[in-house]
Amino acid sequence: MYVAQPIEWTDRGVVMLDQRMLPAEEVSYTFTGYREVAKAIRDMVIRGAPAIGVAAAMGAALGVLHSSATSVEALREEFPEICDTLAKTRPTAVDLFWALERMKRRFAELATQSSDLAKIKQGMVAEAQQVHLEKKATDEAIGSFGAEFMPSDGQVMTQCNAGALATGGIGTALGVIRVAFQQGKKLHVLVPETRPYLQGARLTAWELHRGGIPLTLITDNMVGHFLKTGKVGAIVTGADRIAANGDTANKIGTYQIAVLAKENKVPFYIAAPVSTFDLSMPDGDHIPIEERTAAEVTHIQGVRIAPDVHAAHPAFDVTPARYIAAIFTERGVARAPYTESLQALASSGQSAAVAL
Ligand code: MRU
């Protein structure tokens, strides 16, 4: 089954598929500098929390690889600027900061172990590639845990794009749907278009169609209608940041879907890696919400659709934990009370799988 490749480390540099151009054109760029990677993240060439993390890790590796520093000391001085530039791109997806913290830890280890710059550079490239590889394995595990919660026959709904394009693996929410579909479940996916950036219409519809998974594209204001008519068996979305109590930030529009799901007794699930947990935040009120340009609301693909008025564009909203039936992760499935189950998963280590 077709799996999109949003990002790849190559000998020439970091190759990214330009998601802004999809589905009309499949255009890729090769980046050799960390500043270019930071710009690509900010400008949404690559997007989706885990894929942003992979891009940041690769950006940090590029920064070290192409540094003109001639000593470890000089490289140590340069490295924080590389990480800061990558960190100041998108504030909500915690995977970005998780990946940069990991690259910082690896850099500190390598720079302590050796004064050989070539070895340090090689080690940083290997670490970034490892982050990407792990994301692929993580998605597969999330998919297996979540698939059993999908109905054996019927409609499921998602929001935004939490597919291969958003992770570099098979996707989180779409990974769950993909695995369930491959297991023989007869799923049909309702895809809200996800205004204003249209990740649902442009990216999820494209991925599912390419993967041969049946779908129906709907506009965002059809969600209530489809949930009320009782033909949706489950909803599964991704996450950008999950607070200690289970409150979850995801693409704008997710909150209203979750509330309508509860009203209509449809289970609402989150599929996300443990790296998306931010247990330092007690609840969702502390999660920073990215404000993007109003032009993304007043224009579609560069074409003005509204007069020149003030427009708001919070890119994410927070779904309170009480609306979330379960959270699928690579280490198992968390259920309420999330303060306990998320903590248990976070401390359960890479290899252990816990069902709570
Ligand atoms: O603004 P985006 O496109 O980066 O937002 C993406 C989402 O909200 C996704 O649902 C989330 O990052 C999870 S991706 C597996």
Side-chain angles (χ1 to χ4, degrees):
M1 192 184 278
Y2 177 77
V3 181
Q5 282 292 342
I7 186 164
E8 216 181 335
W9 182 277
T10 72
D11 292 342
R12 289 167 290 120
V14 175
V15 178
M16 282 187 212
L17 179 62
D18 187 349
Q19 298 192 30
R20 298 167 307 180
M21 306 295 282
L22 290 173
E25 282 180 72
E26 288 176 48
V27 181
S28 293
Y29 307 114
T30 304
F31 299 115
T32 53
Y34 73 90
R35 288 190 186 87
E36 289 172 289
V37 171
K39 184 167 173 359
I41 296 172
R42 194 178 313 109
D43 293 351
M44 311 270 283
V45 171
I46 191 158
R47 32 64 51 202
I52 291 171
V54 173
M58 290 186 179
L62 275 182
V64 170
L65 185 65
H66 296 299
S67 162
S68 53
T70 52
S71 69
V72 178
E73 278 325 301
L75 191 53
R76 267 189 209 275
E77 273 178 34
E78 206 179 313
F79 190 58
E81 167 63 16
I82 295 171
C83 292
D84 286 354
T85 305
L86 290 158
K88 284 185 199 135
T89 48
R90 300 202 59 196
T92 305
V94 79
D95 257 275
L96 168 70
F97 308 100
W98 169 87
L100 288 173
E101 282 310 309
R102 179 163 165 172
M103 295 305 281
K104 283 181 197 169
R105 277 200 303 279
R106 187 64 186 133
F107 179 77
E109 275 167 17
L110 289 163
T112 309
Q113 283 162 8
S114 171
S115 54
D116 181 343
L117 284 175
K119 247 191 191 161
I120 296 173
K121 291 180 179 196
Q122 215 177 40
M124 291 297 281
V125 172
E127 188 71 2
Q129 288 174 307
Q130 184 61 24
V131 168
H132 192 190
L133 270 180
E134 287 173 19
K135 288 286 166 208
K136 289 176 192 271
T138 295
D139 282 3
E140 301 280 346
I142 294 171
S144 314
F145 280 116
E148 64 181 88
F149 291 78
M150 295 296 104
S152 53
D153 192 348
Q155 297 200 107
V156 293
M157 189 182 281
T158 187
Q159 164 74 340
C160 191
N161 172 267
L165 288 169
T167 69
I170 58 166
T172 51
L174 289 195
V176 168
I177 291 169
R178 183 186 286 266
V179 171
F181 188 77
Q182 283 172 333
Q183 287 172 350
K185 294 193 172 185
K186 294 187 181 61
L187 298 182
H188 187 107
V189 190
L190 284 179
V191 180
E193 60 182 352
T194 318
R195 278 278 290 148
Y197 210 71
L198 300 175
Q199 288 94 331
R202 295 189 305 104
L203 308 177
T204 297
W206 181 79
E207 263 197 68
L208 290 172
H209 183 62
R210 277 279 180 107
I213 301 177
L215 73 133
T216 299
L217 179 63
I218 61 174
T219 61
D220 298 333
N221 52 1
M222 295 176 190
V223 164
H225 168 77
F226 280 101
L227 291 176
K228 190 158 175 274
T229 46
K231 297 204 176 87
V232 180
I235 301 166
V236 57
T237 78
D240 284 79
R241 196 183 290 233
I242 302 175
N245 71 343
D247 290 354
T248 296
N250 192 52
K251 180 51 54 193
I252 191 77
T254 305
Y255 168 51
Q256 63 200 28
I257 296 178
V259 174
L260 282 163
K262 187 144 196 157
E263 165 73 13
N264 292 287
K265 300 186 176 50
V266 179
F268 174 87
Y269 302 112
I270 295 287
V274 171
S275 55
T276 304
F277 295 1
D278 184 352
L279 303 187
S280 74
M281 299 209 160
D283 56 52
D285 292 346
H286 295 78
I287 298 176
I289 300 295
E290 176 181 8
E291 279 288 336
R292 291 189 66 84
T293 167
E296 288 174 358
V297 177
T298 54
H299 294 66
I300 292 183
Q301 307 279 76
V303 178
R304 179 175 279 285
I305 56 149
D308 191 10
V309 294
H310 179 256
H313 187 184
F316 300 94
D317 58 26
V318 174
T319 298
R322 64 180 178 280
Y323 294 109
I324 303 171
I327 299 176
F328 312 139
T329 78
E330 72 275 29
R331 297 186 194 166
V333 177
R335 284 189 182 274
Y338 290 108
T339 314
E340 289 161 29
S341 58
L342 296 181
Q343 182 60 58
L345 285 175
S347 13
S348 68
Q350 291 293 341
S351 53
V354 191
L356 294 156

